[in-house]
Amino acid sequence: FFTVYFYLTSSHECCYCSSQYVIGPTGPTGATGPTGIAGSIGATGPTGPTGPQGPIGSFKPAYGGLRNSTVQLVFFNTPDAYIPLKLNTYLPSNNVDYDNNTIIIREDGDYEIFYNVLINTNRAVDIGIAVRNMDTPIVETIGTQTLAIDSTTSIAYDGRLSGSTIVSLKTGDILDLAIRIIRTLPTGLDTIVNNNINCTLTVKKLN
């Protein structure tokens, strides 16, 4: 028989040797792994509360129109001078006034202007038309036409002058519809303007 003796040492001494060991530094972080697949979409959340009511808009509608209810004769004294047409019947309106064959604007804004006139004469003439603002023709409304021989009678001349445009108008503007003979006024000229839809002026505010 023989006896083996073991001795315990402190400070982490190896049982078989007298040297000590220490923990080394932490290594660098590894690279980030790939992104995983997206999860499923969650349930829709509840509807939020209704927001407050917005302010009341400031737009005020404005519209109106005039027509002539009877056939009218128009007499010209000189060429290139506008003669206002008779518009004696009021159409439904809002925020405009009427006075003596005119439309009076009561709201600033951009307006659509429309007119339609059917004219008959006993002579071949060139006719001009315009919507006037306080007796001054509005450039965008000016139109002209050479009247053509009436195919049904061969003795009269017909022409229809109509137009639609957009212009800016101010409170207090006064509109009428007027026609003229261009350049030359024939002797003994008779001019007839027809009635109802054939002699109409309307305005409608757009903004």
Side-chain angles (χ1 to χ4, degrees):
F1 296 95
F2 59 90
T3 302
V4 177
Y5 296 93
F6 295 92
Y7 297 94
L8 297 177
T9 63
S10 60
S11 301
H12 302 289
E13 287 187 357
C14 179
C15 298
Y16 301 99
C17 62
S18 60
S19 63
Q20 295 181 333
Y21 67 90
V22 294
I23 298 174
T26 301
T29 301
T32 302
T35 302
I37 60 174
S40 58
I41 298 174
T44 301
T47 302
T50 301
Q53 182 176 346
I56 298 175
S58 59
F59 176 75
K60 295 181 180 179
Y63 55 86
L66 299 171
R67 66 178 176 85
N68 185 39
S69 60
T70 60
V71 173
Q72 60 181 298
L73 297 176
V74 183
F75 300 97
F76 299 93
N77 295 319
T78 58
D80 296 312
Y82 280 103
I83 302 296
L85 293 177
K86 181 171 64 176
L87 300 167
N88 60 8
T89 303
Y90 302 162
L91 301 179
S93 64
N94 188 61
N95 284 332
V96 301
D97 293 329
Y98 301 130
D99 181 53
N100 193 28
N101 305 307
T102 66
I103 300 174
I104 303 172
I105 301 301
R106 291 304 181 201
E107 298 286 340
D108 292 359
D110 295 331
Y111 285 76
E112 179 183 40
I113 293 179
F114 171 80
Y115 62 81
N116 183 51
V117 177
L118 179 61
I119 299 174
N120 303 108
T121 65
N122 64 338
R123 299 283 190 273
V125 292
D126 294 330
I127 292 285
I129 193 167
V131 177
R132 302 187 302 175
N133 184 359
M134 292 181 281
D135 296 331
T136 299
I138 300 172
V139 173
E140 295 89 342
T141 68
I142 295 174
T144 61
Q145 185 176 12
T146 299
L147 302 191
I149 191 73
D150 190 322
S151 60
T152 61
T153 66
S154 299
I155 59 175
Y157 298 83
D158 299 330
R160 182 180 297 277
L161 296 98
S162 63
S164 177
T165 190
I166 297 172
V167 298
S168 295
L169 298 174
K170 299 293 185 182
T171 300
D173 285 348
I174 301 174
L175 309 181
D176 70 357
L177 184 61
I179 62 174
R180 64 189 172 112
I181 301 298
I182 299 174
R183 292 185 297 274
T184 302
L185 179 60
T187 302
L189 177 67
D190 292 329
T191 303
I192 296 174
V193 173
N194 290 268
N195 57 332
N196 298 323
I197 192 61
N198 291 314
C199 186
T200 304
L201 170 64
T202 63
V203 296
K204 179 170 59 178
K205 185 180 179 183
L206 303 177
N207 68 346

